[in-house]
Amino acid sequence: MTASLQHPGYDQQRLQHVAEKMPCRVAQAGALLSLMGEVTQYSYPSIFLYGHRSTGKSHVMSVLLKELELPHAMVSCVECVSVGLMFKHVLLALFGPDPSSLLPRSPSLSDFVRIYRQQCPLSPANQTRYIVIEKAELLRDMDSNLLPVLLRLQELVDDNVTVILLSEIVWDRFRPNTGCFEPLLLYFPDYSKGDLQQILSQDLHPSYSAELYSAFINILLGVFYSVCRDLRELRHLAALNFSKFCEPLKEGKVKESDTHKLWRNIEPHLKKAMQTVYLREVSSVQWEEQEQEESGALKGLSAHAHVELPYYSKYLLIAAYLASYNPARTDRRFFLKHHGKIRKTNFLKKHEKTSNHLLGPKPFPLDRLLAIFYSVVDSRVAPSASIFSQISSLVTLQLLTQLGHDDQLDAPKYKCAVALDFIRAISRTVNFDIVKYLYDFL
């Protein structure tokens, strides 16, 4: 039963229709409507919605604004790579194409405020205008005066406008040191297991009953809920594995009521999919083909091991793994041709120390990574911006982890974030025997 949504400024039948479109988020929608106030009244200048990824912030905001027919502009800081592009989207959505064309080529905040004020008398607001900014945490990387201006835009343009910021981080991480106007805060909690069951069960398959699909979702959540509570990722996993779940039904081996046999059939596939949660190296079609035609050489490895990397990125990742799991004092032993005499006791008394693979990856500086890279790569490579950009790409792909802050004065440090099976699969693609260079396998 859908919870009721109530507000004195809107028709109850319309609110009921809105509530049906946002399951398990009616309480947050009601609180948000209360903060927004009456349609014709001045609303609070700025509202801050925060919560983890995929908790319904954008969906609730979009449904309310569209279904209640409120004038609004929704912009994403990911799509608007510049401040000028954001200003243009806002003016286009609120006032049409003509005002947005008045912006100069590189508009400033004063240009935006000036044009907005000029358009207010030409298009008077009969009700509150809303500017919704998604991925608002990216505003911190833009001009330092942008966030304080947006928070008090209502005062600057003298118009009934409310700025709503949607973010995955808390407001304390936004507040400038110089201070700013404090917005109203509204928290969106994570979906509970029952909430996810209710939402995902609505994606019915036309060929099967609602009870069967609900049982499948219950099995799916039993496996993945402890490691993944992202609604979008769970929905992707459900779409990916439901056909495999129904294979015994298509073949006539079991009935819909025999959930135990259906569970035994799908269990190994769900456990394998668990190794690739959040990874999208392959599409749904490629995943199904991979299930049917898995090669013997890489059999038993996760789909993560099938990721394609540029040639030198593979060697950079190999060098990073060696730097993370080999002591720094062994670099001379492994990577210098004429390393001189080294006492064997330094390398043969392995029973006196714990395996580095059990202790986990150790941090290493950038210069050590590059030194090992130039030693293991099978051709002469000049230091270039391309090599450094590939290191940044490996960090973005979460194959490497950068330690410390981007603005630190000393050289950055990294840790390798891949497993032994993965790096061995990568090494085989470039014919590099990484085991010979690992201290734990001497």
Side-chain angles (χ1 to χ4, degrees), residues 92-107:
L92 181 65
L94 295 182
F95 302 111
D98 294 334
S100 62
S101 62
L102 298 176
L103 284 170
R105 188 164 187 175
S106 297

Side-chain angles (χ1 to χ4, degrees), residues 283-303:
S283 65
S284 302
V285 176
Q286 290 171 326
W287 170 267
E288 293 173 359
E289 293 176 352
Q290 191 174 303
E291 286 280 305
Q292 298 171 359
E293 303 174 4
E294 191 168 17
S295 61
L298 296 178
K299 192 170 184 179
L301 298 181
S302 68

Side-chain angles (χ1 to χ4, degrees), residues 96-116:
D98 294 334
S100 62
S101 62
L102 298 176
L103 284 170
R105 188 164 187 175
S106 297
S108 63
L109 272 169
S110 59
D111 294 326
F112 171 68
V113 172
R114 174 178 54 82
I115 295 175
Y116 195 110

Side-chain angles (χ1 to χ4, degrees), residues 325 353-362 440:
Y325 288 97
K353 60 178 86 63
T354 308
S355 168
N356 292 302
H357 282 75
L358 294 178
L359 295 174
K362 302 290 191 303
D440 284 345

Side-chain angles (χ1 to χ4, degrees), residues 25 51 203 225-226 261 264 273 275 301 369 373 394-395 442:
R25 277 294 175 259
D203 303 331
Y225 184 73
S226 60
K261 289 184 178 179
R264 291 185 62 184
Q275 301 173 4
L301 298 181
L369 169 66
F373 167 72
L394 291 175
V395 173
L442 277 179

